[in-house]
């Protein structure tokens, strides 16, 4: 299922294309039609599942141009950070639509905010419950035209003690409206809201267990640069016969294409690449061949992989360290599912050491740190983004990159260290 099949309109499809987003995530696929059909809905999903777009897409899709002063959509979230994040996402999606999106939150001057939301009116208001209520009681913001309300991260909002404000806000809105709620967990308090204010809601639950399981063998390798990572990748793909069904992650489309080009002469027939610039047909066939087994390895970016559900991945190989540690958790969560074991290989360059440290904070001692075998050729060719800037050149010679494993091992003295290349060797050399 893609966004077009879900009947997402052209302005939003264009915005999604700009964001390089091609596949809906499970929560988006499951809720989109139900939300556009007007049902009350409760989505049980954590951050990272794509829950924000799950409600923003259908809401923006249905929202018609209006000059009305008071908002038709209210989105209630627990914190200022989330207000800003949801606003940013809504603006990205509505790039090709004429929508007035405004935000309010506590801790800032209320009068400035009152003026801000009153001037020119608003279609969508995103806010924290306390500040929304404080403005609504003044009459500057009227909620009697609200057609849809979203209460996002409701469990968090309630645990912050905002129950009275949410109830008061709900009382100010018309009874006849669409109620949407998203929560990471269900509790008695959440249930109370659903029973009191929702009309026969549909419940959609997404299992997104982001705690990596013990069944995933996690290894990290200290590798000086992207081209050496490719050499190591070639080495393991050719020499290790337990790499049966592999998902390779890179951060950008450019890296994906470059990697494919480099692997193509030796491994092209068993490798595919998917990202948003590849045609729908090409992506479809690549995924089909991967599931069938005629392609053993797929190269993907985090964005494109988010909406893809693969079975039985044996190895997740990260050629780049994601800047958000949760992306790493999502990457490795593709393997070690059901009753299967899985392996993750993370390749870390010195300039990615900070991102790596963030990952260690989450998974800690579960990562085994290794060095690549001596037989892997160390490349001196640097990618554009690996080259030191003019000002750095005086301090950093490219040869230093090769030996600068300091940051990699900075916090890892206590961690297990195996100096073998760490992977099961293939009995015979693979013929190409
Ligand atoms: P959320 O779960 O709403 O916090 O979303 C987490 C991240 O996923 C955000 O950065 C979104 O931009 C991104 N995202 C949302 N939907 C998709 C999708 N279908 N494919 C790829 N990324 C997505």
């Amino acid at each position: 299922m893609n966004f077009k099949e879900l009947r997402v309109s052209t302005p939003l499809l264009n915005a999604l294309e700009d964001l390089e987003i091609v596949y809906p995530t499970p929560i988006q696929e499951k809720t989109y039609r139900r939300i556009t059909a007007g049902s009350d809905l409760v989505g049980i999903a954590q951050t990272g599942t794509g829950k924000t777009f799950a409600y923003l897409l259908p809401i923006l899709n249905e929202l018609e141009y209006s000059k009305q002063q008071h908002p038709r959509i209210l989105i209630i979230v627990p914190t200022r950070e989330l207000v800003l994040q949801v606003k940013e996402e809504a603006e990205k999606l509505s790039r090709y639509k004429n929508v007035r999106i405004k935000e309010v939150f506590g801790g800032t001057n209320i009068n400035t905010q009152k003026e801000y939301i009153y001037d020119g009116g608003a279609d969508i208001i995103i806010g924290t419950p306390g500040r929304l209520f404080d403005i609504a009681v003044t009459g500057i913001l009227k909620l009697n035209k609200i057609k849809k309300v979203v209460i996002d991260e409701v469990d968090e909002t309630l645990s912050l003690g905002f129950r009275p404000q949410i109830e008061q806000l709900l009382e100010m809105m018309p009874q006849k409206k669409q109620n949407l709620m998203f929560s990471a967990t269900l509790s008695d308090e959440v249930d109370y809201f659903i029973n009191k204010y929702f009309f026969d809601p549909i419940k959609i639950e997404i299992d997104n267990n982001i705690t990596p399981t013990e069944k995933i063998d996690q290894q990290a390798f200290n590798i000086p640069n992207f081209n050496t990572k490719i050499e190591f990748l070639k080495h393991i793909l050719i020499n290790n016969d337990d790499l049966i069904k592999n998902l390779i992650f890179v951060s950008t489309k450019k890296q994906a294409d470059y990697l494919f080009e480099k692997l193509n002469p030796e491994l092209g027939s068993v490798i595919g690449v998917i990202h948003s610039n590849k045609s729908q047909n090409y992506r479809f066939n690549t995924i089909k061949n991967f599931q069938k087994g005629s392609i053993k390895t797929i190269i993907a970016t985090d964005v494109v992989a988010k909406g893809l559900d693969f079975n039985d991945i044996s190895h997740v190989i990260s050629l780049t360290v994601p800047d958000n540690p949760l992306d790493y958790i999502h990457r490795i969560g593709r393997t070690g599912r059901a009753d299967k074991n899985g392996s993750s290989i993370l390749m870390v360059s010195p300039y990615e050491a900070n991102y790596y440290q963030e990952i260690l904070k989450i998974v800690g001692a579960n990562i085994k740190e290794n060095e690549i075998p001596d037989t892997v050729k160390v490349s001196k060719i640097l990618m554009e983004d690996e080259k030191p800037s003019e000002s750095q050149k005086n301090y950093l010679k490219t040869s230093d990159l090769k030996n600068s494993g300091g940051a990699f091992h900075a916090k890892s003295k206590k961690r297990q260290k195996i100096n073998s290349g760490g992977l099961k060797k293939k009995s015979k050399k693979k013929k190409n």
Side-chain angles (χ1 to χ4, degrees), residues 3 16 19-25 28 46-53 85 89 92 302-307:
F3 289 107
L16 286 168
L19 293 169
E20 298 177 14
I21 288 181
V22 266
Y23 299 106
T25 62
Q28 292 161 3
Q46 294 169 344
T47 301
T49 52
K51 66 174 172 64
T52 317
F53 281 4
Q85 204 177 308
E89 301 247 301
K92 282 187 206 155
D302 293 292
V303 181
V304 81
K306 201 149 206 158

Side-chain angles (χ1 to χ4, degrees), residues 299-361:
I299 303 166
T301 55
D302 293 292
V303 181
V304 81
K306 201 149 206 158
L308 289 173
D309 195 22
F310 294 124
N311 302 318
D312 301 336
I313 300 288
S314 68
H315 286 72
V316 168
I317 307 175
S318 298
L319 254 76
T320 56
V321 183
D323 51 9
N324 179 350
L326 285 181
D327 280 343
Y328 171 76
I329 306 296
H330 287 133
R331 286 181 183 184
I332 70 169
R334 301 319 189 91
T335 183
R337 288 195 177 172
D339 54 348
K340 301 256 170 37
N341 290 330
S343 291
S344 157
I345 295 168
L346 174 66
M347 305 194 192
V348 187
S349 294
Y351 53 87
E352 295 169 311
N354 290 347
Y355 299 149
Y356 177 59
Q357 295 301 333
E358 292 304 309
I359 291 173
L360 290 182
K361 284 183 195 159

